[in-house]
Amino acid sequence: TENRSSLDNKKSKSNSKGANNIDNFLNWCEHNNFSLISKVRVGTDGSCAQYGMMATEDIAMGECLFKIPRQHLLTPHTSSLDQTLKTELLCLESGSGWVPLLVSLMYEYTKPTSKWRPYFDLVPNFAELDLPMLWDESDRERLLQGTGVKQAVETDVTSLTKEFEELVLPFLRKHRDHFDDRCKDIEFYKQMVAFVMAYSFTEPSGQDYRLSQGDEPTVPTYPMMVPMADILNHISKNNAHLKFEKDALEMIAMKAIKKGDEVYNTYGELTNWHLLHMYGFSEPYPENIFDTVSHTLEIITKQTQTSLLVVEGILTEEEFYETLKVLAMDRAKFEEHREKEGWSDAEDEQEEDSMNFDEIPKLPNTWKELLKKSAECCLQKYNTSLEDDRKRLRDDQTSISAREKYSLYTAYGQKMLLQQLIECCS
Ligand code: SAM
């Protein structure tokens, strides 16, 4: 049949273990009606990272590349845990909201007869999945200084350890007959967290197709594993995206994809530091159109030289103006301003306009001076200078490890944004 021959086309001729795993996985997908079109190939050749999907023929915008019927998503609801366990598991509240999926995933991953076996035999390759959460502390210290990733990872490790000890272990002990011994090992749990972090998808908020029209949303939305969609790699200028439909999730071409090109999904509008934190990679400057730098305004007031005013968080354009206006005041002016106008209440602000670089040169000189100084101050927080990074990027990249490369991309992108700000203020 046509399906059979297109599948044969996609299969690698090699008899290696990897090729067998791809074939088994593709057979499993075919058996479960994933409707993979014949214009793509799944494999390592041409992929930017381990496995990926490549176009073997031109694909038109809007074409559906494959779909995943909802019963083949791996969620706490679809897992083969028995019903009583499932009900109990779904009651496990946690800060992250990930515990029910993590326990279901551990259960299926360690079960030789799991229905998702061909999927687990293909991904992930834990030797390649190099999330900063799995690095040793000295590398995090050395490579991530200034980027914000180190703090995010420390928070994750603290909360996942707490969740494991307070929720997961008691559940596993209570149901010890159902779980493989590996599940009690925190290192194995960490690997599963990394798997969920880098491979799971979440139903877009406000959209739950499990409910009929008019139903009250009674089922909370969990992250879920989506076989085949998670084979696709990410770039910010993606050419495909996942649509969440009632009965299936569909991967749709967002633009025409040329024969030979890789098919890229989007994991979201993510900055480089977010990509590095959650997925262990980042994009080289200036490829990531969603990159940002967290700019902390740290100004030592002129009068006392001692008090430190720190402004953190994402400011709306109006908050940004207000902040700069206040920071540029001397004490008398500040007191007068406080008496007369008070602070504007950020929660009342409805507008979330962002300001672009073009607006900066039009700001008053005192404000620009403040912005410039604080950007210079932010640049000092990294272990290396912009010039050091530039030189490393010019050097042969083959001699550096993947984690060094992606940390460099992240820090360099942030420094370029700070440098751009300094230039706009000068
Ligand atoms: N390539 C993965 C595989 O073979 O298992 C499938 C994609 S998986 C959802 C996400 C992981 O793929 C990331 O954690 C990262 O290791 C890798 N990845 C995705 N996009 C990438 C990119 N543009 N550059 C480098 N690595 C990427």
Side-chain angles (χ1 to χ4, degrees), residues 43-44 47-53 122-125 128-131 194-195 197-201 226 228-236 262 264-265 267 275-276 278-284 405-406 409:
T44 51
S47 160
C48 74
Q50 308 123 58
Y51 292 113
M53 183 172 281
L122 193 67
V123 292
N125 177 349
E128 299 277 347
L129 188 61
D130 196 30
L131 268 51
F195 188 9
M197 230 183 202
Y199 286 70
S200 71
F201 290 75
V226 187
M228 186 64 95
D230 64 4
I231 293 287
L232 271 62
N233 293 311
H234 160 106
I235 50 172
S236 59
E262 179 162 359
Y264 285 106
N265 184 20
Y267 303 164
L275 285 174
L276 184 58
M278 304 278 288
Y279 302 92
F281 76 95
S282 56
E283 294 188 81
K405 177 172 82 177
Y406 295 129
Y409 287 170

Side-chain angles (χ1 to χ4, degrees), residues 145-158:
Q145 183 66 35
T147 59
V149 179
K150 198 165 81 75
Q151 291 76 359
V153 173
E154 281 162 6
T155 309
D156 289 347
V157 173
T158 309

Side-chain angles (χ1 to χ4, degrees), residues 118-165:
Y119 166 57
F120 297 137
D121 286 344
L122 193 67
V123 292
N125 177 349
F126 285 110
E128 299 277 347
L129 188 61
D130 196 30
L131 268 51
M133 191 184 84
L134 305 170
W135 303 359
D136 53 41
E137 242 179 284
S138 62
D139 268 1
R140 290 207 285 261
E141 195 66 47
R142 182 171 66 90
L143 300 171
L144 302 175
Q145 183 66 35
T147 59
V149 179
K150 198 165 81 75
Q151 291 76 359
V153 173
E154 281 162 6
T155 309
D156 289 347
V157 173
T158 309
S159 64
L160 81 86
T161 308
K162 190 167 181 291
E163 281 184 351
F164 182 71
E165 286 166 0

